[in-house]
Amino acid sequence: MAKKKTTFVCQECGNESPKWMGKCPACGRWNTLVEEVAMTGKSSRHTFQTTNETKSKPEKISSIELKEEARIETAMPELNRVLGGGIVSGSMVLIGGDPGIGKSTLLLQVSSQLADKDLPVLYISGEESAKQTKLRADRLGVTSDQLYILPETNLAHIVTHIENVEPKFLVVDSIQTVYKEEVTSAPGSVSQVRECTSELMRIAKTKGIPVFIVGHVTKEGSIAGPRLLEHMVDAVLYFEGEQHNTFRIVRSVKNRFGGTHEMGIFEMKERGLEEVLNPSEIFLEERSKGTAGSTVVASMEGTRPVLVEIQALISPTAFGNPRRMATGLDHSRVPLLMAVLEKRAGLLLQNYDAYVKVAGGVKLDEPAIDLGVAVSIASSFRDQVPKASDVLIGEVGLTGEIRRVSRIEQRVQEAAKLGFSRAVIPTRNLEGWTAPDGIEVVGVETIKEAMQITLEN
C-alpha cells in the first residue's frame, strides 16, 4: 500500500516543498504554501491515448498525413472567429473573466445553440443549483430537450453521468469547484485543479468531446490556480469588460487550432449576449467632433481592423510631479511619446498633467496607435482641433520618425468603409498597394510633419 507523506504546495505557481516556508522560492509570493497529503509509490494519475495503438513510434514528418479537423460552428460568428473557425472535436477550452462578466451566460447560450442542432449537451454547474440555472435559462429563452443540467462537484459522479448521457459537448462551470476524492486538499487548490483538469482532458481526447471549462481569476486579472492549467488546455479565452459598460470582449491568448489575439465583441442585453458585427461604428458613434485632443486610429485585433477614438487632456499641473495617466493602453507609452514630442517637436510638456484614454472600453497594445496618441496630446496642448475626417496610423520612434506598420491595406479599407476621407500613414507604407476609392492617403516621415498636416490652424 502506498505511503502518505505531507508536502507544502504553493497555491500560486504549484511549486512543492517538503517543509513550510513563508515565501515561495519559485514565484516569490508570501504565505501561499499550503499543507497537502500526497501519495507516494505508484502514481494514480491517468494517462490517455488518442489512438487505438498502445505504443507510439517515430515517423518521418514528410510521411505524416494531415486531415482537416472537424469543427462545430455555433450561431455566433464572433465566437467562431475567436476559436479559429469553430469548436474542434476533442478540444479543451478554458475561459476566464471577472465575476459577473457573463461567462456562464455565454456558455449557456452556446450550449442552447448546439442543443438546437440535436447535439446532446451536458452543462455541469458547480456553483448554482439546477433551479438557479433554469431561472437564467428562462431569462435567456433557452429551451431544448438536448440540454442536460447537472449540479455536481464530485468528479467521480461527473464521469459516471458523462458515460450515461454520452454528450457531444461538455461545459464545466467552474473547474475550481470540482474535486477528486483521492486528493485530500480542498477544491480549488493546485492539486485538485491539476488532477481534475487532467481527468477531463483524458475524457475529451479519448471520446472526442469538446470541453469548455470556466476558470476563476485573481485580483490581478490572471486565471486562478497553477500556470500549468493554461498549458494543459488547447485554447485560453479571456472575457473582458467593465461592469458599468454593456460591451464585452472575448480575446484568444492561446489556440492550438487557430490564431491568437483574435477578438470577439458582444453587448450584454436583457436576453443575454448579442454580437457586435461592426465594432468600429459602435466605438465611434459617440465621438465628439470639433474638439481638441480627439483623434481616430486604426488598430488590428487579430485579423480584424478596428477604428477607435483616442482622447487626450493636457492641463497645467498643481503639484511638483506631473501626472501621467492612461486608460486602455500601455501606461509607459504616454511618457515615452511625451518625451519624443518635447525633444523632436518642441512642445514643453514637463509642467503639464497628461490623461490619455481609449474610448469605448477597449484595450490597445500595438505600436500602430502611437501616431494617433501623439497627435492627440499635441492637439490638447496647443488647443488645436484635428481634422475630423482623418484616421492616423503609424509607429513613432524615439528620433521622431514614423515607422512602417503591418496590414496597412486592411486598415485603410476599414477607414474608407466608415466614411473617412484621409488616412495619414508612414511614407514607407505607400508602396505595393492601391488605396480604395473615396479616401486620400498621405505619407509622413516625422511626427512634426504629421502635426502640421493634421492640426488645423
Side-chain angles (χ1 to χ4, degrees):
M1 183 176 179
K3 296 181 180 180
K4 292 183 179 181
K5 74 171 185 178
T6 299
T7 60
F8 294 86
V9 182
C10 176
Q11 301 303 298
E12 292 290 337
C13 66
N15 181 60
E16 297 184 3
S17 174
K19 62 180 181 179
W20 184 86
M21 290 181 288
K23 180 180 180 181
C24 175
C27 65
R29 299 294 184 93
W30 289 90
N31 299 322
T32 57
L33 292 178
V34 176
E35 184 179 9
E36 296 183 5
V37 177
M39 299 295 294
T40 61
K42 186 176 180 180
S43 175
S44 60
R45 296 182 187 176
H46 296 282
T47 58
F48 58 84
Q49 296 287 339
T50 57
T51 64
N52 294 326
E53 298 179 5
T54 58
K55 293 183 179 180
S56 59
K57 58 182 181 179
E59 296 182 69
K60 295 180 180 179
I61 192 170
S62 58
S63 63
I64 298 176
E65 296 183 1
L66 292 178
K67 60 180 180 180
E68 189 71 21
E69 292 286 350
R71 293 182 182 267
I72 305 171
E73 292 190 359
T74 69
M76 295 182 176
E78 289 291 295
L79 183 61
N80 294 335
R81 170 199 293 270
V82 177
L83 293 172
I87 304 171
V88 178
S89 299
S91 63
M92 175 172 279
V93 179
L94 172 65
I95 180 168
D98 294 332
I101 202 70
K103 303 184 296 297
S104 301
T105 300
L106 176 65
L107 291 178
L108 193 58
Q109 289 182 244
V110 173
S111 300
S112 174
Q113 295 168 5
L114 297 177
D116 290 339
K117 294 183 177 182
D118 204 25
L119 298 174
V121 178
L122 180 58
Y123 189 100
I124 300 168
S125 176
E127 300 176 345
E128 297 178 331
S129 65
K131 292 183 178 180
Q132 288 176 312
T133 307
K134 173 63 176 175
L135 287 173
R136 190 194 304 119
D138 290 341
R139 177 173 59 85
L140 300 176
V142 174
T143 55
S144 177
D145 292 336
Q146 293 292 339
L147 177 57
Y148 299 87
I149 305 298
L150 175 63
E152 183 60 71
T153 57
N154 190 320
L155 184 62
H157 296 167
I158 292 173
V159 173
T160 301
H161 288 293
I162 293 174
E163 297 288 345
N164 296 333
V165 176
E166 296 183 352
K168 299 297 183 182
F169 185 72
L170 178 65
V171 177
V172 180
D173 185 9
S174 64
I175 190 62
Q176 275 82 11
T177 62
V178 180
Y179 71 93
K180 193 173 183 179
E181 291 181 336
E182 291 82 355
V183 182
T184 57
S185 58
S189 64
V190 171
S191 300
Q192 287 284 8
V193 170
R194 180 179 60 230
E195 294 297 329
C196 293
T197 304
S198 178
E199 180 69 15
L200 292 173
M201 177 69 79
R202 181 188 65 83
I203 294 173
K205 299 304 180 184
T206 55
K207 298 181 178 296
I209 303 175
V211 178
F212 272 66
I213 60 176
V214 176
H216 294 167
V217 296
T218 62
K219 59 183 180 182
E220 290 83 10
S222 58
I223 295 179
R227 197 69 176 180
L228 177 66
L229 178 61
E230 298 185 35
H231 291 289
M232 294 173 66
V233 300
D234 296 313
V236 180
L237 308 182
Y238 274 92
F239 218 140
E240 302 174 355
E242 301 291 340
Q243 292 290 346
H244 58 273
N245 199 333
T246 59
F247 294 111
R248 303 289 187 265
I249 298 174
V250 180
R251 293 182 185 272
S252 170
V253 297
K254 174 188 176 181
N255 194 350
R256 290 174 179 163
F257 306 107
T260 57
H261 300 292
E262 285 285 358
M263 180 182 71
I265 301 178
F266 300 85
E267 185 176 4
M268 179 65 77
K269 295 188 176 180
E270 184 179 356
R271 293 185 63 84
L273 291 164
E274 293 186 7
E275 296 175 283
V276 177
L277 299 180
N278 195 337
S280 297
E281 289 184 351
I282 299 296
F283 292 145
L284 297 177
E285 65 180 359
E286 298 181 4
R287 181 192 175 199
S288 54
K289 298 181 180 179
T291 304
S294 172
T295 60
V296 175
V297 299
S299 174
M300 292 298 300
E301 296 294 335
T303 58
R304 161 193 283 169
V306 178
L307 269 64
V308 294
E309 180 187 5
I310 301 290
Q311 297 178 342
L313 176 62
I314 307 298
S315 62
T317 182
F319 305 98
N321 294 323
R323 304 185 68 182
R324 307 283 189 258
M325 299 186 64
T327 303
L329 66 155
D330 188 3
H331 290 72
S332 62
R333 300 296 295 176
V334 174
L336 186 149
L337 292 173
M338 293 182 68
V340 173
L341 288 172
E342 284 194 5
K343 188 72 173 180
R344 308 301 177 188
L347 304 184
L348 299 179
L349 300 169
Q350 65 267 28
N351 294 324
Y352 288 83
D353 294 333
Y355 307 90
V356 181
K357 178 183 178 181
V358 180
V362 68
K363 295 181 181 179
L364 305 178
D365 58 359
E366 70 160 342
I369 67 171
D370 286 353
L371 182 57
V373 175
V375 172
S376 294
I377 295 173
S379 169
S380 179
F381 176 73
R382 290 183 172 180
D383 200 20
Q384 294 179 331
V385 180
K387 295 182 180 179
S389 58
D390 286 352
V391 59
L392 306 178
I393 308 167
E395 178 185 356
V396 177
L398 294 181
T399 59
E401 82 280 10
I402 308 301
R403 305 177 67 88
R404 179 197 302 269
V405 299
S406 62
R407 299 185 178 181
I408 189 66
E409 190 172 358
Q410 292 96 315
R411 301 175 197 259
V412 175
Q413 285 177 351
E414 181 72 10
K417 186 170 63 175
L418 293 177
F420 288 87
S421 60
R422 188 172 67 169
V424 180
I425 68 172
T427 303
R428 294 173 180 83
N429 275 121
L430 291 174
E431 301 176 356
W433 64 286
T434 302
D437 296 335
I439 187 169
E440 178 189 2
V441 178
V442 179
V444 292
E445 294 186 354
T446 64
I447 183 63
K448 199 169 184 179
E449 182 183 354
M451 291 167 53
Q452 293 173 352
I453 292 175
T454 57
L455 298 181
E456 296 178 350
N457 297 323

